[in-house]
Amino acid sequence: MSLIPLRPLLDHAAANGYGICALNVNNMEQIQSIMEAARATKSPVIIQASRGARKYTNDLFLKHLMLAAAELYPEIPIVMHQDHGNSPETCISAVRMGFTSVMMDGSLEEDAKTPAHYEYNVAVTREVVNIAHRFGVSVEGELGCLGSLESGMGEAEDGHGAEGKLSLDQLLTDPEQAVDFVKRTGIDALAVAIGTSHGAYKFTKKPTGKVLAMEQIEKIHQKIPGCHLVMHGSSSVPTELINDINKYGGKIKETYGVPVEEIQRGIKAGVRKINVDTDNRLAITASIRKSLWDKPEEFDPRYYLTPSRAAMQKICEERMRQFGQAGQAPKIPLVTLEQMAKDYASGKFGENAKPDNAGAPFKGKGAPGHSAMAH
């Protein structure tokens, strides 16, 4: 099956009551791990790349790795997603590079550090929808800033995240504002702020409702039941992986992630896309540390990368089964970008999802073949 847009996959997940883990990649081994897990569980996949990943891998390498995945695993529906685009230029460069879905994170200004005003968020997100939907590419937006309800601080990961102290209304997505945001932007999915954050250090103890506001998701879903919700920073940070890393020379402090049962609760309340990255990084690191500890004289990367690939695959399979996407791959409708563009233009996904000014060219800084890294 070819690369597909995000929207049809999330629509199918909503109709059948499951969620899909969105898995970040930086290299070939991570893509291989995800695709092997998808084949083993017959799962559709969302493979996403941050701006940092695009810079590390290079857009063309990443594009052709994804095309290879689509060719080698033809039975698996694959969404290629830009994670946390900091500007319309970044998102449009992703569209030009073959991504089938983009996230415009207008919760922060273009510096990816400063919390943005609401009207700015609406404006830049709508600009991306206007352009991306013309090409059949799905768009995820974000309302509220990722950060800790324990400390009140923003978080930064991979060069993206709010800096400094945040107010409660910044840390929690307002349900009423979410209604307005979805209506005015025409997005396909909404990332919400509920106290989760990127990286391993999410909570200092097992999270309760005071620091992980799952009720907020339920309130938002009640207001906009037709909008697909997204949970960012939703790795579960398994204790056994932390212990293995530290056993073999690491120094990871005690930390807690988002419990799987809380994510499953979110899926019942409209969450369709769940971002998972840290769990995979921990699995890879634990495996590599063990391999080099057991055989310190070894220097062939294949010696330690092969088991690390299997370790990440194991985590991916677990999440695919836990989130309910296992077994769904053969049931996903094949929708091309060309068909999606027609569907958006016809109003199939609502009048607000129709792109405006369909004939107007994009005049941003991106250009064909250019990386988004300048932005």
Side-chain angles (χ1 to χ4, degrees):
M1 186 176 285
S2 302
L3 294 168
I4 65 169
L6 178 67
R7 181 62 180 263
L9 177 55
L10 299 189
D11 285 348
H12 186 271
N16 294 277
Y18 65 92
I20 307 108
C21 49
L23 304 160
N24 286 72
V25 296
N26 299 277
N27 59 24
M28 178 186 73
E29 285 79 12
Q30 289 178 305
I31 293 175
Q32 290 172 328
S33 298
I34 294 168
M35 296 311 301
E36 284 297 302
R39 175 166 282 172
T41 61
K42 297 182 179 179
S43 295
V45 295
I46 302 168
I47 297 180
Q48 56 188 26
S50 64
R51 288 184 301 129
R54 291 175 65 186
K55 182 178 181 179
Y56 174 84
T57 308
N58 185 286
D59 277 355
L60 284 175
F61 276 118
L62 183 62
K63 174 182 178 179
H64 288 284
L65 284 170
M66 292 301 303
L67 291 174
E71 183 177 345
L72 291 168
Y73 300 83
E75 78 278 19
I76 302 299
I78 306 170
V79 173
M80 183 177 176
H81 181 74
Q82 161 74 62
D83 191 23
H84 284 289
N86 66 315
S87 68
E89 287 81 9
T90 293
C91 293
I92 302 315
S93 74
V95 173
R96 287 173 166 151
M97 204 50 72
F99 285 71
T100 60
S101 177
V102 296
M103 180 197 182
M104 178 61 235
D105 185 359
S107 70
L108 304 175
E109 295 182 6
E110 190 171 345
D111 64 4
K113 298 177 182 179
T114 306
H117 294 294
Y118 177 67
E119 291 299 329
Y120 168 88
N121 192 355
V122 171
V124 294
T125 304
R126 181 62 196 179
E127 181 180 355
V128 172
V129 168
N130 279 336
I131 298 162
H133 280 188
R134 281 159 49 190
F135 297 95
V137 173
S138 305
V139 180
E140 174 188 340
E142 180 166 322
L143 186 59
C145 298
L146 294 186
S148 171
L149 287 172
E150 280 188 287
S151 65
M153 299 296 291
E155 56 77 35
E157 175 77 7
D158 204 13
H160 192 105
E163 290 187 341
K165 197 84 171 178
L166 297 173
S167 63
L168 188 61
D169 63 336
Q170 290 173 318
L171 287 166
L172 287 175
T173 301
D174 178 75
E176 294 291 347
Q177 196 173 61
V179 175
D180 181 70
F181 187 75
V182 171
K183 181 179 180 180
R184 293 172 63 188
T185 60
I187 54 173
D188 300 286
L190 176 66
V192 295
I194 57 167
T196 59
S197 56
H198 293 144
Y201 302 106
K202 303 180 187 299
F203 306 104
T204 59
K205 55 187 176 182
K206 186 174 180 179
T208 65
K210 293 183 179 180
V211 295
L212 179 60
M214 297 304 297
E215 286 187 1
Q216 203 74 4
I217 286 178
E218 293 162 350
K219 292 176 183 177
I220 294 167
H221 182 57
Q222 288 174 359
K223 292 287 184 180
I224 44 174
C227 181
H228 305 305
L229 303 182
V230 182
M231 284 178 64
H232 281 242
S234 292
S235 283
S236 298
V237 192
T239 301
E240 62 270 21
L241 293 179
I242 298 292
N243 291 341
D244 282 348
I245 289 173
N246 292 342
K247 178 180 179 181
Y248 298 109
K251 292 183 179 180
I252 304 292
K253 297 180 294 184
E254 184 179 22
T255 181
Y256 294 83
V258 182
V260 169
E261 59 268 24
E262 295 293 344
I263 296 171
Q264 292 169 333
R265 175 183 172 183
I267 291 171
K268 292 178 182 178
V271 171
R272 299 298 159 221
K273 177 174 177 281
I274 304 101
N275 286 18
V276 175
D277 185 15
T278 294
D279 287 353
N280 291 330
R281 293 186 185 191
L282 293 172
I284 289 170
T285 300
S287 175
I288 290 175
R289 281 193 172 277
K290 182 179 186 305
S291 293
L292 295 179
W293 184 278
D294 290 345
K295 201 172 181 181
E297 71 276 13
E298 186 58 67
F299 59 89
D300 185 346
R302 292 170 296 182
Y303 163 72
Y304 53 83
L305 289 177
T306 298
S308 74
R309 189 168 55 189
M312 176 171 162
Q313 179 183 338
K314 179 183 176 182
I315 288 289
C316 290
E317 287 187 28
E318 287 178 2
R319 299 296 177 265
M320 289 170 179
R321 293 190 177 97
Q322 290 163 336
F323 299 167
Q325 71 199 82
Q328 298 292 340
K331 306 172 187 177
I332 307 301
L334 174 59
V335 181
T336 64
L337 292 177
E338 292 75 17
Q339 183 60 51
M340 277 297 294
K342 293 177 182 177
D343 289 343
Y344 283 130
S346 71
K348 178 179 179 179
F349 298 104
E351 290 298 309
N352 60 340
K354 281 186 176 181
D356 300 331
N357 303 319
F362 175 66
K363 297 181 180 179
K365 291 178 282 188
H370 286 195
S371 170
M373 294 311 104
H375 310 308

